[in-house]
Amino acid sequence: PVTYLMQSGLAPIGIRNIHVKVVASNQRLAQDLEQVWSSKSQVKAGDAVEVTALLRDQDGHETLQKTSVEIPPSLPPGPLTVTVADGASLDRIEAAMSGRAVLPKDPQQLVRAINKSRRNNRLYVRLARPESGFALQGESFPSPPPSIVSTFSTDPSLSTNVSRTMLSTVADYELGPVPGVVAGYRSLTLMVEE
């Protein structure tokens, strides 16, 4: 993050101090996301579903991470994609979904973007639907009401900064940290019934 700040080409940044905590280990602390499954494949709006992720380290040791995700009560019937991924993978997916890069215009925007970046020592769970949405300056607007769609589509000052997305995020969850770095991306589909 400090490199991003110092080499951004934006106004000079004054850093007063940096606090670093270093922990040394003789083993490689990295785990790969191998599998993901859920307690149910067919759900109803308002249900809670347990999502389990299987992580494996270089020595073959397995770790399970479980979390309960809530299907939003107002969610209409249809497919729901559950994505479990490390932070960097989910950040890349989000950037690709938004359709265009949003470049910070000042140091405050850059710091905000860095602080929004997901960490590499935990998994994230995203629930998404195949519905149109919008991304405006890096912020996602999933399944917006018609009034927002009209504003985004017709306001010339906004239309150059708006990207349409075809997958709308319904909910995001962050799992607890694991020792070391985690990497991987897996998805599964649940069917929301009436």
Coordinates of all heavy atoms in Angstrom, one line a residue, residues 115-172:
N115 N -7.9 1.2 1.4 CA -8.6 0.7 2.6 C -9.7 -0.2 2.3 O -10.1 -1.1 3.1 CB -9.1 1.9 3.5 CG -7.9 2.6 4.2 OD1 -6.8 2.0 4.3 ND2 -8.1 3.8 4.5
K116 N -10.3 -0.1 1.1 CA -11.4 -1.0 0.6 C -10.9 -2.3 0.1 O -11.7 -3.2 0.0 CB -12.3 -0.3 -0.4 CG -13.3 0.7 0.1 CD -14.1 1.4 -1.0 CE -14.9 0.4 -1.7 NZ -15.7 1.0 -2.8
S117 N -9.6 -2.4 -0.2 CA -9.1 -3.6 -0.8 C -9.2 -4.7 0.3 O -9.0 -4.5 1.5 CB -7.6 -3.4 -1.1 OG -7.4 -2.5 -2.1
R118 N -9.5 -5.9 -0.2 CA -9.7 -7.0 0.7 C -8.4 -7.6 1.0 O -7.4 -7.5 0.3 CB -10.6 -8.1 0.0 CG -12.0 -7.5 -0.2 CD -12.9 -8.5 -0.9 NE -14.2 -8.0 -1.1 CZ -14.6 -7.3 -2.1 NH1 -13.8 -6.9 -3.0 NH2 -15.9 -6.8 -2.2
R119 N -8.3 -8.3 2.2 CA -7.1 -8.8 2.7 C -6.8 -10.2 2.1 O -7.7 -10.9 1.7 CB -7.1 -8.9 4.2 CG -7.3 -7.5 4.8 CD -7.5 -7.6 6.3 NE -7.6 -6.3 6.8 CZ -7.3 -5.9 8.0 NH1 -6.9 -6.8 8.9 NH2 -7.5 -4.7 8.4
N120 N -5.5 -10.6 2.2 CA -5.1 -11.9 1.6 C -5.1 -13.0 2.6 O -4.7 -14.1 2.2 CB -3.8 -11.7 0.9 CG -2.6 -11.4 1.8 OD1 -2.8 -11.3 3.0 ND2 -1.4 -11.4 1.3
N121 N -5.5 -12.8 3.8 CA -5.4 -13.8 4.8 C -6.8 -14.3 5.3 O -7.0 -14.8 6.3 CB -4.6 -13.4 6.0 CG -5.3 -12.3 6.8 OD1 -6.2 -11.6 6.3 ND2 -5.0 -12.2 8.1
R122 N -7.8 -14.1 4.4 CA -9.1 -14.6 4.7 C -9.9 -14.8 3.4 O -9.6 -14.4 2.4 CB -9.8 -13.6 5.6 CG -10.0 -12.2 5.0 CD -10.3 -11.2 6.0 NE -9.2 -11.0 6.8 CZ -9.2 -10.4 8.0 NH1 -10.3 -10.0 8.6 NH2 -8.1 -10.3 8.7
L123 N -11.0 -15.5 3.6 CA -12.0 -15.8 2.5 C -13.1 -14.8 2.6 O -13.5 -14.3 3.7 CB -12.5 -17.2 2.6 CG -11.4 -18.3 2.2 CD1 -12.0 -19.7 2.5 CD2 -11.0 -18.2 0.8
Y124 N -13.7 -14.6 1.5 CA -14.9 -13.7 1.4 C -16.0 -14.5 0.6 O -15.7 -15.3 -0.3 CB -14.6 -12.5 0.6 CG -13.6 -11.6 1.3 CD1 -12.2 -11.8 1.1 CD2 -14.0 -10.6 2.1 CE1 -11.3 -11.0 1.8 CE2 -13.1 -9.8 2.8 CZ -11.7 -10.0 2.6 OH -10.8 -9.3 3.3
V125 N -17.2 -14.3 1.0 CA -18.4 -15.0 0.4 C -19.3 -13.9 -0.2 O -19.6 -12.9 0.5 CB -19.2 -15.8 1.4 CG1 -20.4 -16.4 0.8 CG2 -18.3 -16.8 2.1
R126 N -19.6 -14.1 -1.4 CA -20.5 -13.1 -2.1 C -21.7 -13.9 -2.7 O -21.6 -14.9 -3.3 CB -19.7 -12.4 -3.3 CG -20.7 -11.7 -4.2 CD -20.0 -10.8 -5.2 NE -19.5 -9.7 -4.4 CZ -18.7 -8.8 -4.8 NH1 -18.2 -8.9 -6.0 NH2 -18.3 -7.8 -4.1
L127 N -22.9 -13.3 -2.5 CA -24.1 -13.8 -3.1 C -24.5 -12.8 -4.2 O -24.5 -11.6 -4.0 CB -25.2 -13.8 -2.0 CG -25.0 -14.6 -0.7 CD1 -26.2 -14.5 0.2 CD2 -24.6 -16.0 -1.0
A128 N -24.7 -13.4 -5.4 CA -25.0 -12.5 -6.5 C -26.1 -13.2 -7.4 O -26.2 -14.4 -7.4 CB -23.7 -12.3 -7.3
R129 N -26.8 -12.3 -8.1 CA -27.8 -12.7 -9.1 C -27.5 -12.2 -10.5 O -26.9 -11.1 -10.6 CB -29.1 -12.1 -8.7 CG -29.5 -12.5 -7.3 CD -30.9 -12.9 -7.2 NE -31.5 -13.9 -8.0 CZ -32.7 -14.3 -7.7 NH1 -33.3 -13.8 -6.6 NH2 -33.3 -15.2 -8.4
P130 N -28.0 -12.9 -11.5 CA -27.8 -12.4 -12.8 C -28.9 -11.4 -13.1 O -29.9 -11.6 -13.8 CB -28.0 -13.7 -13.7 CG -28.8 -14.6 -12.9 CD -28.5 -14.3 -11.4
E131 N -28.6 -10.2 -12.6 CA -29.5 -9.0 -12.8 C -28.7 -7.8 -13.2 O -27.5 -7.7 -12.8 CB -30.3 -8.7 -11.6 CG -31.3 -9.8 -11.1 CD -31.9 -9.4 -9.8 OE1 -31.4 -8.5 -9.1 OE2 -32.9 -10.1 -9.4
S132 N -29.2 -6.9 -13.9 CA -28.5 -5.7 -14.3 C -28.3 -4.8 -13.1 O -29.2 -4.7 -12.3 CB -29.1 -5.0 -15.5 OG -30.3 -4.5 -15.1
G133 N -27.2 -4.2 -13.0 CA -26.9 -3.2 -12.0 C -26.0 -2.2 -12.5 O -25.7 -2.1 -13.8
F134 N -25.4 -1.3 -11.7 CA -24.5 -0.3 -12.1 C -23.3 -0.2 -11.2 O -23.4 -0.6 -10.0 CB -25.2 1.1 -12.1 CG -26.3 1.3 -13.2 CD1 -27.6 1.0 -12.9 CD2 -25.9 1.7 -14.4 CE1 -28.6 1.1 -13.9 CE2 -26.9 1.8 -15.4 CZ -28.2 1.6 -15.1
A135 N -22.2 0.3 -11.7 CA -21.1 0.6 -10.9 C -20.7 2.1 -11.2 O -20.6 2.5 -12.4 CB -19.9 -0.3 -11.3
L136 N -20.6 2.9 -10.2 CA -20.3 4.3 -10.3 C -19.1 4.6 -9.5 O -19.2 4.5 -8.2 CB -21.5 5.1 -9.9 CG -21.3 6.6 -9.9 CD1 -21.0 7.2 -11.2 CD2 -22.6 7.3 -9.3
Q137 N -18.0 5.0 -10.1 CA -16.8 5.3 -9.4 C -16.4 4.3 -8.4 O -16.1 4.6 -7.2 CB -16.9 6.7 -8.7 CG -17.1 7.8 -9.7 CD -17.3 9.2 -9.1 OE1 -17.5 9.3 -7.9 NE2 -17.2 10.2 -9.9
G138 N -16.5 3.0 -8.8 CA -16.0 1.9 -8.0 C -17.1 1.4 -7.0 O -16.9 0.4 -6.3
E139 N -18.2 2.1 -6.9 CA -19.3 1.7 -5.9 C -20.3 0.9 -6.7 O -20.7 1.3 -7.8 CB -19.9 2.9 -5.3 CG -19.0 3.7 -4.4 CD -18.5 2.9 -3.1 OE1 -19.3 2.0 -2.6 OE2 -17.4 3.1 -2.7
S140 N -20.8 -0.2 -6.2 CA -21.8 -1.0 -6.8 C -23.2 -0.6 -6.4 O -23.5 -0.4 -5.3 CB -21.5 -2.5 -6.4 OG -22.4 -3.3 -7.0
F141 N -24.1 -0.6 -7.4 CA -25.5 -0.4 -7.2 C -26.3 -1.6 -7.8 O -26.7 -1.5 -8.9 CB -25.9 0.9 -7.9 CG -25.3 2.2 -7.2 CD1 -24.1 2.6 -7.7 CD2 -25.9 2.8 -6.2 CE1 -23.5 3.7 -7.1 CE2 -25.3 3.9 -5.6 CZ -24.1 4.4 -6.0
P142 N -26.4 -2.6 -7.0 CA -27.1 -3.8 -7.6 C -28.6 -3.6 -7.6 O -29.2 -3.0 -6.7 CB -26.7 -4.9 -6.6 CG -26.5 -4.2 -5.3 CD -25.9 -2.8 -5.7
S143 N -29.2 -4.1 -8.7 CA -30.7 -4.1 -8.8 C -31.3 -2.8 -8.4 O -32.1 -2.7 -7.5 CB -31.3 -5.2 -8.0 OG -30.7 -6.5 -8.3
P144 N -30.9 -1.7 -9.0 CA -31.4 -0.4 -8.6 C -32.8 -0.2 -8.9 O -33.3 -0.8 -9.9 CB -30.5 0.6 -9.3 CG -30.0 -0.1 -10.5 CD -29.9 -1.5 -10.1
P145 N -33.5 0.7 -8.2 CA -34.9 1.0 -8.6 C -35.0 1.7 -9.9 O -34.0 2.3 -10.3 CB -35.4 1.8 -7.4 CG -34.2 2.3 -6.7 CD -33.1 1.3 -7.0
P146 N -36.1 1.7 -10.6 CA -36.2 2.4 -11.9 C -35.8 3.9 -11.9 O -35.3 4.4 -12.8 CB -37.7 2.2 -12.2 CG -38.2 1.0 -11.5 CD -37.3 1.0 -10.2
S147 N -36.0 4.6 -10.8 CA -35.7 6.0 -10.7 C -34.2 6.2 -10.8 O -33.7 7.1 -11.5 CB -36.2 6.6 -9.4 OG -35.6 6.0 -8.3
I148 N -33.4 5.3 -10.2 CA -31.9 5.4 -10.3 C -31.5 5.0 -11.7 O -30.6 5.6 -12.2 CB -31.3 4.4 -9.2 CG1 -31.7 4.8 -7.8 CG2 -29.8 4.4 -9.3 CD1 -31.0 6.1 -7.3
V149 N -32.1 3.9 -12.2 CA -31.7 3.5 -13.6 C -31.9 4.7 -14.5 O -31.0 5.0 -15.4 CB -32.6 2.3 -14.1 CG1 -32.3 2.0 -15.5 CG2 -32.2 1.1 -13.2
S150 N -33.0 5.4 -14.4 CA -33.3 6.5 -15.3 C -32.3 7.6 -15.1 O -31.8 8.2 -16.0 CB -34.7 7.1 -15.0 OG -35.0 8.2 -15.7
T151 N -32.0 7.9 -13.8 CA -31.0 9.0 -13.5 C -29.6 8.6 -14.1 O -28.9 9.4 -14.7 CB -30.9 9.2 -12.0 OG1 -32.1 9.6 -11.5 CG2 -29.8 10.3 -11.7
F152 N -29.2 7.4 -13.8 CA -27.8 7.0 -14.3 C -27.8 7.0 -15.9 O -26.7 7.2 -16.4 CB -27.5 5.6 -13.8 CG -27.0 5.5 -12.4 CD1 -26.7 4.3 -11.8 CD2 -26.8 6.7 -11.7 CE1 -26.2 4.3 -10.5 CE2 -26.3 6.7 -10.4 CZ -26.0 5.5 -9.8
S153 N -28.9 6.6 -16.5 CA -28.9 6.5 -17.9 C -29.0 7.8 -18.7 O -28.6 7.9 -19.8 CB -30.1 5.6 -18.4 OG -29.9 4.3 -17.8
T154 N -29.6 8.8 -18.0 CA -29.9 10.0 -18.8 C -29.1 11.2 -18.3 O -29.0 12.2 -19.1 CB -31.4 10.4 -18.6 OG1 -31.7 10.6 -17.2 CG2 -32.3 9.4 -19.3
D155 N -28.5 11.2 -17.2 CA -27.7 12.4 -16.7 C -26.3 12.3 -17.3 O -25.5 11.4 -17.1 CB -27.6 12.3 -15.2 CG -26.9 13.6 -14.6 OD1 -26.2 14.3 -15.4 OD2 -27.1 13.8 -13.4
P156 N -26.0 13.3 -18.2 CA -24.7 13.3 -18.9 C -23.5 13.3 -18.0 O -22.5 12.8 -18.3 CB -24.8 14.5 -19.9 CG -26.2 15.0 -19.8 CD -26.9 14.4 -18.6
S157 N -23.7 14.0 -16.9 CA -22.5 14.1 -16.0 C -22.2 12.8 -15.3 O -21.1 12.5 -14.9 CB -22.8 15.2 -14.9 OG -23.9 14.8 -14.0
L158 N -23.2 11.9 -15.2 CA -23.0 10.6 -14.6 C -22.7 9.5 -15.6 O -21.9 8.6 -15.4 CB -24.2 10.2 -13.8 CG -24.5 10.9 -12.5 CD1 -25.8 10.4 -11.9 CD2 -23.4 10.8 -11.5
S159 N -23.3 9.6 -16.8 CA -23.2 8.5 -17.8 C -21.8 8.2 -18.2 O -21.6 7.0 -18.5 CB -24.1 8.8 -19.0 OG -23.6 10.0 -19.6
T160 N -20.9 9.1 -18.2 CA -19.5 8.8 -18.5 C -18.8 8.0 -17.4 O -17.8 7.3 -17.7 CB -18.7 10.0 -18.9 OG1 -18.7 10.9 -17.7 CG2 -19.3 10.8 -20.1
N161 N -19.3 8.1 -16.2 CA -18.6 7.4 -15.1 C -19.4 6.1 -14.7 O -19.0 5.5 -13.7 CB -18.5 8.3 -13.9 CG -17.6 9.5 -14.1 OD1 -16.6 9.3 -14.8 ND2 -18.1 10.7 -13.7
V162 N -20.4 5.8 -15.4 CA -21.3 4.6 -15.0 C -21.0 3.5 -15.9 O -20.9 3.6 -17.1 CB -22.8 5.0 -15.0 CG1 -23.7 3.8 -14.8 CG2 -23.1 6.1 -14.0
S163 N -20.9 2.3 -15.3 CA -20.8 1.0 -16.1 C -21.9 0.1 -15.7 O -22.3 0.0 -14.5 CB -19.5 0.3 -15.7 OG -18.4 1.1 -16.1
R164 N -22.5 -0.5 -16.7 CA -23.6 -1.5 -16.4 C -22.9 -2.8 -16.0 O -21.9 -3.2 -16.5 CB -24.4 -1.8 -17.6 CG -25.5 -0.7 -17.8 CD -26.5 -1.2 -18.9 NE -27.6 -0.3 -18.8 CZ -28.8 -0.7 -18.3 NH1 -29.0 -1.9 -17.9 NH2 -29.8 0.2 -18.2
T165 N -23.5 -3.5 -15.1 CA -23.1 -4.9 -14.7 C -24.2 -5.8 -14.9 O -25.4 -5.5 -14.8 CB -22.6 -4.9 -13.2 OG1 -23.8 -4.6 -12.4 CG2 -21.5 -3.9 -12.9
M166 N -23.9 -7.1 -15.2 CA -24.9 -8.1 -15.4 C -25.0 -9.0 -14.3 O -25.8 -10.0 -14.3 CB -24.6 -8.8 -16.7 CG -24.6 -8.0 -18.0 SD -26.0 -6.8 -18.1 CE -27.3 -8.0 -18.3
L167 N -24.2 -8.8 -13.2 CA -24.3 -9.7 -12.0 C -24.4 -8.7 -10.8 O -23.5 -8.0 -10.6 CB -23.1 -10.6 -11.9 CG -23.2 -11.8 -11.0 CD1 -24.3 -12.7 -11.5 CD2 -21.8 -12.5 -11.0
S168 N -25.5 -8.8 -10.1 CA -25.7 -7.9 -9.0 C -25.4 -8.5 -7.7 O -26.0 -9.6 -7.4 CB -27.2 -7.3 -9.0 OG -27.4 -6.5 -10.1
T169 N -24.6 -7.9 -6.9 CA -24.3 -8.4 -5.6 C -25.5 -8.2 -4.7 O -26.0 -7.2 -4.5 CB -23.0 -7.7 -5.0 OG1 -22.0 -7.9 -5.9 CG2 -22.7 -8.2 -3.6
V170 N -25.9 -9.3 -4.0 CA -27.0 -9.3 -3.1 C -26.5 -9.2 -1.6 O -27.1 -8.5 -0.8 CB -27.8 -10.6 -3.2 CG1 -28.9 -10.7 -2.2 CG2 -28.4 -10.7 -4.6
A171 N -25.4 -9.8 -1.3 CA -24.8 -9.8 0.0 C -23.3 -10.2 0.0 O -22.9 -10.9 -0.9 CB -25.5 -10.7 1.0
D172 N -22.5 -9.6 0.9 CA -21.1 -9.9 1.1 C -20.8 -10.3 2.5 O -21.4 -9.8 3.4 CB -20.3 -8.7 0.8 CG -19.9 -8.6 -0.7 OD1 -19.6 -9.6 -1.3 OD2 -19.9 -7.4 -1.2

